[in-house]
């Protein structure tokens, strides 16, 4: 807008100025940076009205007040690192002062604009490159920046770009020559000022980008730097990101939010020693204390009370708050005069490191005026609960990024580790586990030390810990009572990482009140209870592999194999496990080490070398209470059977191999065979490869909780007539004890939960177990000589008797009314009692590889039946059997005929009788490699999976035509694809092939209807395969003798096109999978609509087996991608590919085109759908 020549402002000018004034104020109220350029008035406009001074702030007149000032040497980094850093900052919404011109002029003095920019910016980023010190303007800029840091507390973040930080501090490298040149050409005082600033910036922890192939990409550094800048800008109240305040911003905000709540008067900060409680409290305190009339941070309350007494410390606090010297109150409580004064005083107080509730009450907290805020830090959560704090905040450990930054600050005096030390830095981070104190102590100790010294320090930590850290942590241990003391040491030496429930039961046998003791240790942050993590299962595992892995891993106390299958993951079935910080664990172990230099006089032994020495040299004494030995860490050793005679108080023996370890074998050998003398007090005995035939003759199992002797030479446990006091016993594990013939009477073991005799090849007798109401798991797999079906409690839901000698499923099976799965795979079963029909909960029955000859009667509830490799010759499945049966596996069996009788008498297509939705639910049938199979009769129409590969005698295949209206509506409740495989069925009659083709086309029609409807669901693909090299043109009207085909279409925009295809290929070269691919192009008459897509199929029968194919095979293929809305297309072009070991030739191909009207409702029955044949077009 042009200005008026008049001396007075025009109305338009006044209006514009008034509007801009208010607009600027609105932007400022929103904390938005606005660049405002007010044009200077001409001399004849001096009377014009300017902006109000309150709006036209200094920053407005100078331009934007930037958040970050970026200093760099342009010749070094302008076009690479600095340019990328600038863009990353601006992309994050951070305004950056970037004055490239002034930096390149070589000015020896700073311009006013640059000086103002440095003063206005909250953070200065200094990119120290190799030629930075050669620039006068860079050094002048740096000098000004460091002055602002000293006087105004500005943030300065150095970036050591391809330079050594020590060269900056000591003027080494290229910087030496640069400053020598300055000293010749510039005034002495100016160069001195530059050198001071340069040396100081080198001492600030920053980012060291070493460069080269071994370093990380610069983009990762830039992302970390931008994150660091963002954190500092968002926390205006925080100090510089050095030492104590790294990573506490989030927690600080949480505490401030609690303080602002009206019902939060006393706030507790709880956490382990060194976790940063005091640092967090100090940061919060400094932020809120100016808002209160009086405030005081009382440090180390517990320690000061010990040194100077309770009353003295209280008097110190009151003197500070009431601003009165030498207050002396010697009574337990505070008198009325002081109470009244405190009632009038709104205060902010921190009571740091409180260990007893009385310490808080003593300080008179309850007398402070309403609105006061009291922060109490403690390692004991129960202390905070007892004094009635309003809110308790658990101080969290630092995350990985913050841990690395804090550690690097002390170990390298920069914000990231040196490239050569990154791997070792991660090891120290793993040890510290986010504990700030540990990170500071370890970092300081490693500063300027060599890599060899770092490695030595790590070895030392693993063995002895860090004394300075342990001393701080030990103060928590010193306050424990005897029960808590013992439990803590057991946890540190034996039970870390073990399931919580099992540890509670074991320790409850050791000590009275163990559960309460564990809770107290958790409150004192010496223990933690953590959820057990899932173990992922590789996606390649199919159902059989998952169940086998399940059986291998489940049901073993106090090992990581205590797990179950949940969905497609293996997870621990106990919800929680014992967790302990590594440093706390090491502190506990050090306490045991300090008990005595004599290994035999220590209470607990867990180091393999120590245990070996005690066993070899018979050094045991009554001081030893527990021994844990990882036998994978020792060689063979011999010991005396009386080695435990002097260990009268020994309660815990755990001689084990870790799960999945290799090289398992007997490593502990006795000087004499026979039996071992065991202490009377023993409660827990786990000894893999136990070398004796018997337990001690004086052994009394009444105290036992767990007895685990897998892979041992044991022949007999105890004399069952002499020992009935087994009420404490929870688990017996005798797996793979090949010499064990008999399990003793367990009448008194009323709390037994697990009995594992897996792999006991000589076991012939098992006692009656049906009275054991607590028994959850019975493992007898691999007991080849066990011929009698076990008498088990009727509450069992799963029973696996795989690879046993059991010959019959007896009539007594009827009592297992809750049984859901019964597995007798690879057993000797020849007969199954009809009483199995009474098991209304049975869902799965596995008789695979059994010598059974007759198809068993099956209950209506059965869903899965496994009969592979059996001698059954004929199967007739009635409607009764098919009610719920979904999965039938008879692969490799002797079956000759399989007939499905799905006729439901009295049920017509118009019947209104209520029929279960699953009445014809058989969806998966496996009969592959049944070389005697001749007939598959009356198969369900919508059988989802049928594998008859290699049935060389199969002649006849038919599908039911009974009650078709009942099939389709209930057969699309999942997304499994249709799979019909008759490969290598070389005896198939033509009418059977016609039936297979007809069924395939029926399924394609139903799939097409689903996928053109409003609701898309159900199978997406279908593969049908059978021997041959041709198919009738009545089914596939378009055919070609090579791998491509073109056809003409009559355009119609009110319909869907459905393309079904067939291919012929020689499968002889194939070994496992056969893959197919179809490329389709659709073209409209006017060229306006073109569509091109590729879809594929895979005929993978069994990923574990190698299959052989013979000759040409026909494949009928369909995919939901082959349904297309007709958009006026008039031509379709197809190209087909077959892949086996390599790309193979398609010998013949064909296409069938059908159409579905666009208005077809998905709810219509398939029988009412009009499938219109495609008009004949040109054929290639």
């Amino acid at each position: 807008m042009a200005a008026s020549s008049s001396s007075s402002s025009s109305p338009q000018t006044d209006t514009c100025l008034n509007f801009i004034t208010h607009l600027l104020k609105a932007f400022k109220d929103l904390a938005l940076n606005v660049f405002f350029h007010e044009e200077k008035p001409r001399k004849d406009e001096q009377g014009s009205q300017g902006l109000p001074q309150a709006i036209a702030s200094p920053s407005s007149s100078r331009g934007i007040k930037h958040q970050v000032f970026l200093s760099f040497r342009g010749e070094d980094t302008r076009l690479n690192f600095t340019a990328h850093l600038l863009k990353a900052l601006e992309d994050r919404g951070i305004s950056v002062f970037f004055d490239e011109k002034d930096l390149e002029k070589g000015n020896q003095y700073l311009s006013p604009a640059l000086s103002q920019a440095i003063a206005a910016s909250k953070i200065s980023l200094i990119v120290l490159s190799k030629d930075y010190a050669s620039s006068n303007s860079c050094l002048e800029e740096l000098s000004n920046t460091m002055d602002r840091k000293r006087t105004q507390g500005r943030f300065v973040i150095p970036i050591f770009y391809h330079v050594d930080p020590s060269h900056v501090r000591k003027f080494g490298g290229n910087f030496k020559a640069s400053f020598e040149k300055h000293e010749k050409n510039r005034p002495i005082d100016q160069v001195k000022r530059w050198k001071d600033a340069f040396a100081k910036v080198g001492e600030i922890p920053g980012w060291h980008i070493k460069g080269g192939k071994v370093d990380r990409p610069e983009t990762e550094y830039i992302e970390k730097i931008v994150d660091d800048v963002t954190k500092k800008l968002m926390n205006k109240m925080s100090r510089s990101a050095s030492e104590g305040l790294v990573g506490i911003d989030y927690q600080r905000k949480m505490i401030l939010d609690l303080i602002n709540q009206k019902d939060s008067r006393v706030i507790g900060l709880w956490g382990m020693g060194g976790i940063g409680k005091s640092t967090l409290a100090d940061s919060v305190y400094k932020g809120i204390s100016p808002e209160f009339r009086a405030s005081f941070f009382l440090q180390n309350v517990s320690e000061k009370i010990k040194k100077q007494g309770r009353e003295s410390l209280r008097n110190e606090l009151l003197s500070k708050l009431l601003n009165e010297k030498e207050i002396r109150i010697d009574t337990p409580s505070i008198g009325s005069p002081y109470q009244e004064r405190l009632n009038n005083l709104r205060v902010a107080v921190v009571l740091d490191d409180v260990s007893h509730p009385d310490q808080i009450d003593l300080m008179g907290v309850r007398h402070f005026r309403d609105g006061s805020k009291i922060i109490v830090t403690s390692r004991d959560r129960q202390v905070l609960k007892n004094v009635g704090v309003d809110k308790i905040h658990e101080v969290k450990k630092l995350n990985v990024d913050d841990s690395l930054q804090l550690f690097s600050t002390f170990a390298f005096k920069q914000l990231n580790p040196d490239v050569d030390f990154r791997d070792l830095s991660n090891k120290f981070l793993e040890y510290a586990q986010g504990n700030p104190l540990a990170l500071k102590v370890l970092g300081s100790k490693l500063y300027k030390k060599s890599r060899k010294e770092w490695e030595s320090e790590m070895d030392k930590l693993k063995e002895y810990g860090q004394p300075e850290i342990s001393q701080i942590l030990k103060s928590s241990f010193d306050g424990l009572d005897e029960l808590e003391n013992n439990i803590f040491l057991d946890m540190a030496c034996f039970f870390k990482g073990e399931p919580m429930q099992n540890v509670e039961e074991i320790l409850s046998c050791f000590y009275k009140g163990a559960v309460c003791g564990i809770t107290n240790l958790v409150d004192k942050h010496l223990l933690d209870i953590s959820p057990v993590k899932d173990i992922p299962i590789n996606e390649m595992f199919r159902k059989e592999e998952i169940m086998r892995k399940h059986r291998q891993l489940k049901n073993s106390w106090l090992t990581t194999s205590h797990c179950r299958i949940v969905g497609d993951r293996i997870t621990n079935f106990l919800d929680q496990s014992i967790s302990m910080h590594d440093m706390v664990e090491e502190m506990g172990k050090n306490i045991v080490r300090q008990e005595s230099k004599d290994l035999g006089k220590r209470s607990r032994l867990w180091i393999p070398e120590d245990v070996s020495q005690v066993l070899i040299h018979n050094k045991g004494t009554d001081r030893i209470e527990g021994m844990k030995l990882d036998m994978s860490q020792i060689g063979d050793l011999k010991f005396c059977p009386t080695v435990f005679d002097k260990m009268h108080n020994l309660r815990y023996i755990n001689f084990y191999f870790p799960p999945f370890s290799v090289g398992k074998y007997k490593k502990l050998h006795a000087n004499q065979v026979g039996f071992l003398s065991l202490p009377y007090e023993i409660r827990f005995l786990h000894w893999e490869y136990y070398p004796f035939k018997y337990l001690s003759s004086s052994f009394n199992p009444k105290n036992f909780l767990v007895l685990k002797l897998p892979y041992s030479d044991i022949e007999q446990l105890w004399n069952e007539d002499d020992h009935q006091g087994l009420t404490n016993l929870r688990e017996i594990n005798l797996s793979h004890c090949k010499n064990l013939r008999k399990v003793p009477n367990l009448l008194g073991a009323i709390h037994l939960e697990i009995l594992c005799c897996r792999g006991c090849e000589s076991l012939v007798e098992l006692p009656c177990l049906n009275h054991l109401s607590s028994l959850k798991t019975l493992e007898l797999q691999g007991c080849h000589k066990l011929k009698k079906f076990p008498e088990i409690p009727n509450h069992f839901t799963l029973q696996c008797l795989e690879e046993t000698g059991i010959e019959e499923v007896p009539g007594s099976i009827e009592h297992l009314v809750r049984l859901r799965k019964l597995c007798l795979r690879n057993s000797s079963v020849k007969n199954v009692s009809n009483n199995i029909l009474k098991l209304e909960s049975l869902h799965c029955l596995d008789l695979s590889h059994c010598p059974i000859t007759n198809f068993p009667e099956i209950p209506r509830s059965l869903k899965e039946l496994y009969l592979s490799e059996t001698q059954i010759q004929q199967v007739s499945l009635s409607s009764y059997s098919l009610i719920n049966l979904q999965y039938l596996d008879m692969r490799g069996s002797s079956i000759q005929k399989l007939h499905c009788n799905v006729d439901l008498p009295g049920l017509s297509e118009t019947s209104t009788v209520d029929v279960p939705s699953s009445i014809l639910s058989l969806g998966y049938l496996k009969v592959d490699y049944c070389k005697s199979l001749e007939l598959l009769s009356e198969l369900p129409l919508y059988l989802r999976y049928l594998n008859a590969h290699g049935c060389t005698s199969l002649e006849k295949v038919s599908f039911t035509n009974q009650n078709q209206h009942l099939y389709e509506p209930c057969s699309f409740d999942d997304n499994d694809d249709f799979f019909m495989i008759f490969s290598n069925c070389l005896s198939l009659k033509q009418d059977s092939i016609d039936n297979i083709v007809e069924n395939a086309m029926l399924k394609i029609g139903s799939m097409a209807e689903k996928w053109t409807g409003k609701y898309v669901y159900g199978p997406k693909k279908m593969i049908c395969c059978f021997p041959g090299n041709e198919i009738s043109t009545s089914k596939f009207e378009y055919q070609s003798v090579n791998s491509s085909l073109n056809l003409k279409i009559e355009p119609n925009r009110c319909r869907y096109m459905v393309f079904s295809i067939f291919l012929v290929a020689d499968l002889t070269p194939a070994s496992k999978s056969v893959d197919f691919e179809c490329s389709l192009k659709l073209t409209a008459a006017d060229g306006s609509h073109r569509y091109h897509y590729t879809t594929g199929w895979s005929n993978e029968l069994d990923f574990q087996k190698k299959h052989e194919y013979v000759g040409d095979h026909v494949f009928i293929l369909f995919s939901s991608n082959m349904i297309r809305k007709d958009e006026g297309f008039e031509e379709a072009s197809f190209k087909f590919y077959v892949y086996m070991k390599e790309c193979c030739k398609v010998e013949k191909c064909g296409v069938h085109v059908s159409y579905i009207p666009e208005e077809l409702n998905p709810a219509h029955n398939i029988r009412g759908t009009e499938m219109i044949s495609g008009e004949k077009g040109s054929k290639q």
Side-chain angles (χ1 to χ4, degrees), residues 497-501 529-535 559-564 569-579:
E498 302 295 351
M500 173 69 172
Q501 179 181 335
I529 308 300
S530 303
V532 177
K533 295 181 179 179
D534 291 347
I535 306 171
T559 70
T560 55
S561 61
H562 209 154
C563 51
R564 62 183 169 97
R569 302 179 70 81
I570 298 178
T571 183
N572 195 299
F573 66 74
L574 299 169
D575 295 329
Q576 297 175 317
S577 66
I578 299 296
S579 176

Side-chain angles (χ1 to χ4, degrees), residues 796-823:
F796 264 43
T797 59
L798 182 151
Q799 185 55 58
C800 185
L801 300 169
E802 184 176 349
E803 298 180 7
T804 63
I806 294 173
E807 299 177 347
E808 179 185 22
V809 178
S812 60
I813 191 77
E814 65 179 322
H815 299 297
L816 303 180
V817 292
R818 298 182 186 178
L819 194 65
R820 296 177 63 85
K821 179 174 181 178
L822 176 60
C823 178

Side-chain angles (χ1 to χ4, degrees), residues 31-33 64-70 89-90 92-98 117-125 154-155 157 229-230 232-234 236:
L32 296 176
N33 290 326
I64 300 174
K65 182 177 180 180
H66 296 277
Q67 294 169 301
V68 174
F69 181 86
L70 184 56
L89 289 165
E90 291 178 339
R92 195 71 68 90
I94 298 171
S95 60
V96 184
F97 189 94
F98 182 80
I118 294 172
S121 298
K122 298 174 183 176
I123 295 176
S124 290
L125 282 174
R154 290 285 189 263
F155 284 119
I157 302 176
V229 170
T230 303
K232 289 178 170 60
L233 290 174
M234 291 181 67
K236 297 179 182 180

Side-chain angles (χ1 to χ4, degrees), residues 941 959 978 980 994-1007 1022-1024 1026 1036 1060 1116-1118:
L941 282 175
F959 296 84
F978 283 118
M980 302 170 61
D994 292 341
N995 290 338
I996 293 169
V997 174
E998 186 70 32
N999 182 258
M1001 301 307 290
L1002 176 69
K1003 289 172 179 173
I1004 290 173
S1006 183
M1007 291 170 67
M1022 188 203 73
I1023 298 178
C1024 178
F1026 52 85
F1036 289 85
S1060 310
I1116 300 176
L1117 306 171
F1118 180 74

Side-chain angles (χ1 to χ4, degrees), residues 424 427-428 431 454-462:
L424 285 172
K427 290 184 178 180
F428 283 100
Y431 174 81
W454 277 53
E455 291 171 346
S456 176
E457 185 64 30
M458 175 51 65
D459 292 338
K460 179 183 173 184
L461 275 180
K462 292 177 181 177

Side-chain angles (χ1 to χ4, degrees), residues 830-832 851-857 867 871-874:
K830 297 179 181 179
N831 181 47
V832 178
I852 187 171
T853 57
N854 295 321
F855 189 83
E857 296 287 344
L867 297 169
Q871 304 303 312
I872 298 172
Q873 295 184 0
Q874 292 197 24

